[in-house]
Amino acid sequence: MNKGVAVTGMGIFSAIGNNTAANYRSLILGKHGISSSEILETIHKNLPVGEIKISNESLAEDLNLPENHSFSRAALLGAFAVKEAVTQSSWKIDNETGFISGTSVGGMDATETYFKDFTEGKTDNNRFIRAQHPGFTTEKIAEYFGITEFVSTISTACSSGANAIMLGARMIKAGKLKRVIVGGTDCLTKFTLNGFNSLMILSDEQCKPFDESRNGLNLGEGAAYLVLEGEEELNGKPVLGRISGYGNANDAFHQTASSENGEGAFLAMQKALKTAGISSKKIDYINAHGTATRNNDSAETEALKRIFSKNLPDFSSTKAFTGHTLAAAGALEAVYSLLSLQNQQVFSNLNFSDPMQSSGFIPVTNLKEKPIKYVLSNSFGFGGNCTSLIFRKNGE
Amino acid sequence: MGNKIYINGIGIVSAQEEDLFSEGFASTYYENIFPVISPNYRDFIKPMALRRMSKAIKMGITSAKIALKEAEIEVPDAIITGTGEGCKQDTEKFLENMLDQNEKLLTPTSFIQSTHNTIGGQIALNLGCKNYNVTYTQNSVSLETALLDAQMQFDEDPFLNSILVGGVDEISEKITSFRKLDGQLKSVPIKNLDLLKEDSTGTITSEGAYFFALSNKRKENTYAEIQNVSIKNTIPPEKINEEIEAFLETNKLDPADIDTMILGMNGDNRYDYFYKNLQQKLFKNTTQLAYKHLVGDFDTASGYAIYLAGNILKSGKIPSILKLNDIESKAPKNILIYNQYLGRDHSLILLSAF
Amino acid sequence: MTNLHTELKESIIEQLNLEDMDPADISNDEPLFGDGLGLDSIDALELIVLLEKDYGIKLTDPAQGKEIFVSINQMAQFIEENRTK
């Protein structure tokens, strides 16, 4: 067992709340954030999404940005979540603070809005030309907070946020940084909605993770960040939980689909347990990737079988609350895992009625109180990128 | 810094032929956006897989395979990729179809391949490599972040033997040309070899893939040792000399120990002062080299500088087309690569002969 | 061989970028997936769009594709029976 890297702050912005307290409230009340899109302009109104019902204009105003700002929506959401995390951790950003953000499409919302203008040579909104770079979104957030040192972006599709947390924890351990803000952000875009739709993996109803009749995912948007600090920086400040394990592996099976036996997921969980230095029996709760696609949920349950055999702990997917927030998912679910440790509660897997025939696994469907010391969180993405994180209750 | 890291294999696809070192011949371009000289991708990728790959994926897999072959590695212990903009061609294709067809009748192939981790994922798929796999997308430090990660991996795990690290970026018809609209590219076409004589804003761009097979064990044909990598998002122009001195100090080196400096000058008179400052002060008496007049500037172009450094350290030869000053470096031992883009995302890579 | 068979082969070659192939290289009863032509699940999704675009047939469940895209013969038969354009 290792002590793990201390988390001293967290912030989140999702379809179920604009801060940690609001997200927690929705989780314990079973209040989901899935709706028909209002802010995203699309012809696919039949596809429910986890949308944050606040316009870019109003977000920018709350952040006191000038009118000609070049924040993508992902940067706006990200700035809110970082603000909460930094405030909670109560320190000033200095030149030993790093920032690592995961994003899949970054400023695609801007790119898709202005693409035709740029094609026609119009220069009115040329400050958004570089929004096509995921790093552009990250730099906007860094700029807002005056972070000037190590700034980086990870883009491994739906495991980006989890990989950002993993890199941050490794850099703290290696003594490369004293403090680092890690997490992810992604907003809803026509590009991703249509992309997933062309793959025929979007559900036209609320998603049903791990249910036999699941028929696809709901896309969502959001941002979440953690503040990680080295031991010598703590000086007795409250620690929200610790990152004790992480594992990254590649499924190397198919461009988008997971292998039938969930090889990449299995390897990622196995590595995470190894770095945490614990056996699988120690895990009290699994916040699963559980996107509610036919393929993910069956591959993930196969991998869970291989890791836990007959001792499967309580598990649930919180995607039915937020939708699948892509690069942000690993970060959102890191916050939920820490909330689970702090409150000793397992959050429910909404919309479940029939177990999958292949596994018979039954997720937790009602909020459950129990002693929780270790939480495993899974994030798997296109390109076979699989990452698992293990969070540990502080002080035990 | 614990374990030593050696470059044992290099694979590149760039706008220049590989005979720069033997013949000193450089390809000339008269457009501000120019493509790579494509190898025969069929020698490296099966036709059924090749048929839907965009250039970035083809260049990535090909250069990765060349690097691994040279280092005699079948499956590396990790694959770490850097790309500024990823698969732009597929992004552009899906985006245009979506806008033109009003979100109707869209096919998934270009969407699937638009994600930035496609290249790293496809290399893993091609090699059957289930190990650690990450893609960094931080503008001009994308490849450097990948190197930094590799350096940490070697320090964390003494049983690790090999890591494949590389950078890839491709040009696409529209998205790349948008850079003419915000001043990133020069407004008038120039000859690439004249880039560094320019006194105007903007630069020229191209594409490329640079992969490096890294190992903690030296081989007979090892190119160089990677001593250290450093990344910094923002540096005030007047602080650049201090920053670099501090970096050298952590590596127990003096500026005088650096015999060759490879600068990322890109002919943009708004930002080249970062380099000029160093040329005039800290590295006045150092052999100064540049390369973006050969391969253009793009987010992972610094991979070409690593390729050059590796070959210079291995062969002891410096092609004259790279030289910015007349100072001779008889037997190059320590090479420092410095790069930035638009005044942000600064990086330092220190390589040594072994 | 009907015109539909040839037309299908031509559009498959184009849509799936089978650059080196000629319609004559694909036989009517050869399996399109697996050991035959070697197409995969991404191609299946491309073919679903092709059905909708060229023949006005809309599939909602990707699993349906498996039964239709068995061979050129099977596809042609399905199209004849269901086409709306």
Side-chain angles (χ1 to χ4, degrees):
Chain A
M1 188 204 89
N2 79 57
K3 196 170 180 191
V5 174
V7 181
T8 61
M10 57 186 179
I12 184 168
F13 201 155
S14 79
I16 59 167
N18 57 8
N19 57 37
T20 307
N23 271 265
Y24 177 61
R25 224 165 21 245
S26 297
L27 286 172
I28 57 173
L29 295 174
K31 231 178 84 187
H32 70 81
I34 307 300
S35 66
S36 186
S37 62
E38 292 163 27
I39 290 173
L40 179 73
E41 286 171 28
T42 172
I43 65 161
H44 303 297
K45 293 288 176 193
N46 60 319
L47 298 171
V49 287
E51 186 177 61
I52 294 169
K53 304 294 180 195
I54 306 174
S55 71
N56 288 2
E57 291 72 27
S58 138
L59 291 168
E61 203 181 298
D62 284 353
L63 291 168
N64 289 318
L65 296 177
E67 211 158 287
N68 63 346
H69 73 81
S70 49
F71 277 54
S72 59
R73 185 167 170 86
L76 293 168
L77 299 175
F80 269 93
V82 168
K83 204 174 198 174
E84 189 194 358
V86 170
T87 309
Q88 180 173 32
S89 171
S90 64
W91 47 271
K92 289 224 163 38
I93 283 159
D94 58 18
N95 61 9
E96 286 178 281
T97 304
F99 182 48
I100 307 167
S101 185
T103 188
S104 67
V105 288
M108 179 52 76
D109 56 325
T111 307
E112 69 189 21
T113 304
Y114 301 118
F115 186 83
K116 288 284 169 190
D117 282 0
F118 297 154
T119 306
E120 289 160 18
K122 291 184 188 155
T123 55
D124 305 355
N125 294 293
N126 66 5
R127 64 186 189 279
F128 286 108
I129 283 175
R130 282 172 55 76
Q132 212 271 323
H133 288 71
F136 180 83
T137 287
T138 307
E139 280 189 355
K140 287 291 140 194
I141 303 173
E143 241 169 68
Y144 186 78
F145 294 98
I147 303 169
T148 59
E149 302 298 302
F150 183 80
V151 174
S152 198
T153 306
I154 292 182
S155 197
T156 51
C158 312
S159 63
S160 310
N163 278 323
I165 294 171
M166 176 169 171
L167 178 70
R170 288 171 56 215
M171 290 186 79
I172 293 282
K173 264 196 193 172
K176 295 225 174 232
L177 291 168
K178 288 186 173 169
R179 277 171 294 275
V180 59
I181 301 162
V182 292
T185 182
D186 254 329
C187 67
L188 285 168
T189 66
K190 280 207 296 201
F191 187 89
T192 36
L193 189 76
N194 280 284
F196 281 91
N197 195 35
S198 74
L199 282 164
M200 301 181 87
I201 52 174
L202 291 181
S203 176
D204 55 6
E205 44 192 60
Q206 284 176 38
C207 72
K208 294 178 276 194
F210 299 111
D211 192 275
E212 177 61 20
S213 68
R214 68 196 182 283
N215 64 355
L217 60 85
N218 304 139
L219 271 191
E221 63 183 348
Y225 291 90
L226 310 178
V227 175
L228 310 183
E229 294 193 73
E231 281 314 298
E232 46 308 330
E233 309 305 311
L234 296 177
N235 293 325
K237 78 162 74 168
V239 172
L240 309 177
R242 285 174 179 275
I243 298 164
S244 72
Y246 36 74
N248 167 310
N250 195 286
D251 203 34
F253 170 74
H254 185 273
Q255 276 189 45
T256 55
S258 303
S259 56
E260 269 169 39
N261 65 354
E263 180 73 2
F266 168 78
L267 291 170
M269 288 190 273
Q270 197 181 48
K271 285 185 188 177
L273 288 165
K274 198 180 159 208
T275 45
I278 57 170
S279 83
S280 65
K281 290 196 184 82
K282 292 272 187 190
I283 301 293
D284 302 300
Y285 164 50
I286 303 162
N287 186 301
H289 188 53
T291 58
T293 63
R294 304 291 308 166
N295 179 244
N296 175 78
D297 292 7
S298 79
E300 188 171 8
T301 47
E302 286 310 307
L304 289 173
K305 271 191 216 166
R306 290 169 68 190
I307 293 281
F308 295 97
S309 58
K310 292 205 163 52
N311 303 308
L312 184 74
D314 286 329
F315 76 99
S316 67
S317 161
T318 44
K319 297 271 191 318
F321 280 94
T322 58
H324 186 0
T325 57
L326 306 181
L332 253 62
E333 288 156 29
V335 170
Y336 299 160
S337 299
L338 289 159
L339 284 172
S340 169
L341 287 172
Q342 285 188 314
N343 299 289
Q344 302 285 286
Q345 285 167 322
V346 173
F347 305 120
S348 56
N349 187 109
L350 303 179
N351 311 330
F352 176 87
S353 46
D354 297 310
M356 291 159 56
Q357 274 175 12
S358 57
S359 67
F361 282 8
I362 300 175
V364 172
T365 52
N366 285 304
L367 184 72
K368 182 175 173 179
E369 316 259 347
K370 67 175 235 180
I372 301 172
K373 197 171 158 190
Y374 284 101
V375 178
L376 171 74
S377 174
N378 283 338
S379 297
F380 312 134
F382 278 11
N385 283 121
C386 299
T387 296
S388 295
L389 301 172
I390 295 175
F391 297 89
R392 188 172 73 84
K393 192 168 187 292
N394 187 44
E396 286 188 29
Chain B
M1 276 296 291
N3 296 308
K4 289 189 177 281
I5 303 169
Y6 300 100
I7 301 177
N8 287 351
I10 301 181
I12 75 165
V13 176
S14 81
Q16 294 294 333
E17 301 279 2
E18 281 224 49
D19 58 9
L20 192 68
F21 277 87
S22 48
E23 317 276 328
F25 171 80
S27 302
T28 313
Y29 300 92
Y30 296 91
E31 291 292 335
N32 292 351
I33 302 174
F34 48 94
V36 292
I37 299 165
S38 290
N40 189 2
Y41 296 117
R42 282 161 192 269
D43 296 345
F44 301 90
I45 306 164
K46 287 191 190 123
M48 274 308 265
L50 196 59
R51 70 195 160 102
R52 42 183 182 223
M53 287 180 181
S54 73
K55 210 168 185 181
I57 307 171
K58 289 190 238 184
M59 292 191 296
I61 294 180
T62 300
S63 54
K65 284 192 153 181
I66 295 170
L68 290 173
K69 193 178 173 200
E70 189 178 21
E72 297 174 301
I73 295 163
E74 277 189 24
V75 178
D77 294 326
I79 298 172
I80 314 177
T81 312
T83 177
E85 292 184 293
C87 298
K88 278 207 289 287
Q89 291 181 0
D90 277 313
T91 302
E92 184 168 310
K93 196 169 160 193
F94 190 78
L95 193 55
E96 276 206 292
N97 286 339
M98 181 183 87
L99 296 171
D100 293 344
Q101 294 163 210
N102 191 26
E103 303 183 64
K104 287 176 197 143
L105 291 171
L106 297 168
T107 57
T109 303
S110 52
F111 174 70
I112 292 169
Q113 299 193 151
S114 72
T115 58
H116 295 80
N117 60 331
T118 304
I119 305 155
Q122 285 276 5
I123 294 171
L125 196 58
N126 194 289
L127 301 174
C129 176
K130 294 176 181 173
N131 300 323
Y132 183 87
N133 190 308
V134 164
T135 299
Y136 292 100
T137 54
Q138 185 57 42
N139 307 335
S140 63
V141 294
S142 302
L143 170 59
E144 286 76 1
T145 318
L147 279 174
L148 195 85
D149 186 349
Q151 190 188 28
M152 284 167 60
Q153 296 271 350
F154 278 118
D155 283 346
E156 287 164 9
D157 185 353
F159 297 105
L160 217 67
N161 288 312
S162 60
I163 300 183
L164 179 68
V165 173
V168 187
D169 272 293
E170 67 182 1
I171 52 179
S172 71
E173 192 195 332
K174 298 212 164 115
I175 297 176
T176 305
S177 67
F178 292 167
R179 288 187 208 162
K180 290 175 187 164
L181 302 176
D182 67 351
Q184 290 186 74
L185 291 178
K186 293 199 179 293
S187 51
V188 183
I190 64 156
K191 180 180 165 191
N192 66 319
L193 299 181
D194 292 339
L195 179 72
L196 304 174
K197 296 178 202 153
E198 282 284 321
D199 184 11
S200 57
T201 62
T203 185
I204 57 174
T205 193
S206 180
E207 54 188 356
Y210 309 103
F211 270 86
F212 306 95
L214 308 182
S215 172
N216 49 9
K217 286 176 200 74
R218 245 176 76 173
K219 289 182 55 138
E220 235 171 73
N221 57 353
T222 292
Y223 284 91
E225 185 188 339
I226 297 183
Q227 295 280 356
N228 212 347
V229 184
S230 174
I231 289 167
K232 200 161 175 177
N233 188 260
T234 314
I235 300 176
E238 68 280 6
K239 291 264 171 72
I240 188 69
N241 283 288
E242 289 171 43
E243 281 291 338
I244 292 186
E245 273 186 299
F247 170 78
L248 292 176
E249 211 175 289
T250 58
N251 293 288
K252 302 192 171 60
L253 290 174
D254 276 338
D257 295 325
I258 301 298
D259 41 61
T260 309
M261 181 84 190
I262 305 183
L263 299 160
M265 305 187 88
N266 69 356
D268 186 334
N269 64 7
R270 297 168 300 174
Y271 301 99
D272 270 355
Y273 54 72
F274 278 103
Y275 306 109
K276 293 205 166 121
N277 208 335
L278 293 171
Q279 285 182 291
Q280 286 153 9
K281 289 183 188 158
L282 212 51
F283 298 103
K284 212 166 74 185
N285 301 316
T286 308
T287 307
Q288 301 164 358
L289 311 180
Y291 59 98
K292 287 181 181 167
H293 54 306
L294 299 175
V295 296
D297 198 2
F298 50 97
D299 291 310
T300 46
S302 49
Y304 195 70
I306 305 174
Y307 153 80
L308 290 174
N311 280 285
I312 290 170
L313 290 168
K314 189 173 173 175
S315 69
K317 278 191 247 170
I318 301 180
S320 59
I321 194 154
L322 304 174
K323 288 184 182 168
L324 290 172
N325 61 3
D326 296 332
I327 294 166
E328 286 288 327
S329 175
K330 289 256 152 44
K333 195 174 177 310
N334 293 314
I335 299 186
L336 184 63
I337 300 170
Y338 166 56
N339 190 45
Q340 55 81 22
Y341 187 61
L342 301 179
R344 297 285 287 272
D345 294 300
H346 303 260
S347 67
L348 291 165
I349 307 170
L350 177 63
L351 297 113
S352 297
F354 48 90
Chain C
M1 191 158 62
T2 65
N3 283 340
L4 178 60
H5 284 76
T6 316
E7 181 184 293
L8 262 180
K9 289 177 189 175
E10 281 165 358
S11 12
I12 287 175
I13 288 170
E14 200 208 316
Q15 185 74 28
L16 307 181
N17 294 323
L18 302 169
E19 288 160 4
D20 298 336
M21 289 197 121
D22 255 4
D25 297 336
I26 308 174
S27 59
N28 288 336
D29 51 1
E30 178 187 9
L32 295 174
F33 289 78
D35 290 337
L37 199 54
L39 303 184
D40 63 16
S41 59
I42 299 170
D43 296 311
L45 293 168
E46 295 277 338
L47 294 180
I48 288 175
V49 178
L50 187 142
L51 284 186
E52 187 176 353
K53 200 152 60 181
D54 294 353
Y55 307 103
I57 305 171
K58 198 170 162 66
L59 302 187
T60 47
D61 181 359
Q64 280 175 275
K66 277 197 190 117
E67 292 143 34
I68 302 159
F69 309 135
V70 174
S71 61
I72 294 291
N73 276 335
Q74 194 102 354
M75 260 184 97
Q77 194 191 336
F78 179 82
I79 291 167
E80 290 294 3
E81 289 165 6
N82 295 283
R83 65 191 300 169
T84 61
K85 66 176 182 193

mmCIF file of all heavy atoms in Angstrom, chain A residues 29 126 183 222 309 319 360:
data_model
loop_
_atom_site.group_PDB
_atom_site.id
_atom_site.type_symbol
_atom_site.label_atom_id
_atom_site.label_comp_id
_atom_site.label_asym_id
_atom_site.label_seq_id
_atom_site.Cartn_x
_atom_site.Cartn_y
_atom_site.Cartn_z
ATOM 1 N N LEU A 29 -29.823 12.925 -4.422
ATOM 2 C CA LEU A 29 -31.272 12.977 -4.672
ATOM 3 C C LEU A 29 -31.661 12.183 -5.918
ATOM 4 O O LEU A 29 -32.835 12.070 -6.257
ATOM 5 C CB LEU A 29 -31.727 14.438 -4.837
ATOM 6 C CG LEU A 29 -31.592 15.330 -3.596
ATOM 7 C CD1 LEU A 29 -31.942 16.780 -3.936
ATOM 8 C CD2 LEU A 29 -32.479 14.819 -2.457
ATOM 9 N N ASN A 126 -10.961 36.003 -36.346
ATOM 10 C CA ASN A 126 -9.732 35.227 -36.527
ATOM 11 C C ASN A 126 -9.010 34.895 -35.223
ATOM 12 O O ASN A 126 -8.098 34.092 -35.209
ATOM 13 C CB ASN A 126 -8.791 35.870 -37.560
ATOM 14 C CG ASN A 126 -8.266 37.201 -37.096
ATOM 15 O OD1 ASN A 126 -8.521 37.619 -35.967
ATOM 16 N ND2 ASN A 126 -7.537 37.885 -37.971
ATOM 17 N N GLY A 183 -7.202 17.804 -14.562
ATOM 18 C CA GLY A 183 -8.594 17.445 -14.824
ATOM 19 C C GLY A 183 -8.895 17.514 -16.300
ATOM 20 O O GLY A 183 -8.006 17.274 -17.132
ATOM 21 N N GLY A 222 -19.029 19.278 -19.598
ATOM 22 C CA GLY A 222 -18.662 19.623 -18.236
ATOM 23 C C GLY A 222 -17.165 19.776 -18.082
ATOM 24 O O GLY A 222 -16.394 19.585 -19.034
ATOM 25 N N SER A 309 -13.196 -11.560 -10.138
ATOM 26 C CA SER A 309 -13.853 -12.883 -10.175
ATOM 27 C C SER A 309 -15.156 -12.870 -9.375
ATOM 28 O O SER A 309 -16.079 -12.164 -9.749
ATOM 29 C CB SER A 309 -12.892 -14.004 -9.787
ATOM 30 O OG SER A 309 -12.362 -13.793 -8.507
ATOM 31 N N LYS A 319 -22.876 8.059 -15.484
ATOM 32 C CA LYS A 319 -23.098 8.692 -16.788
ATOM 33 C C LYS A 319 -24.579 9.029 -17.021
ATOM 34 O O LYS A 319 -24.887 9.933 -17.790
ATOM 35 C CB LYS A 319 -22.613 7.776 -17.919
ATOM 36 C CG LYS A 319 -21.106 7.484 -17.905
ATOM 37 C CD LYS A 319 -20.330 8.478 -18.682
ATOM 38 C CE LYS A 319 -18.864 8.126 -18.939
ATOM 39 N NZ LYS A 319 -18.075 7.553 -17.875
ATOM 40 N N GLY A 360 -24.829 -10.833 -15.717
ATOM 41 C CA GLY A 360 -25.734 -10.889 -14.566
ATOM 42 C C GLY A 360 -25.401 -9.838 -13.521
ATOM 43 O O GLY A 360 -25.984 -9.813 -12.439
#
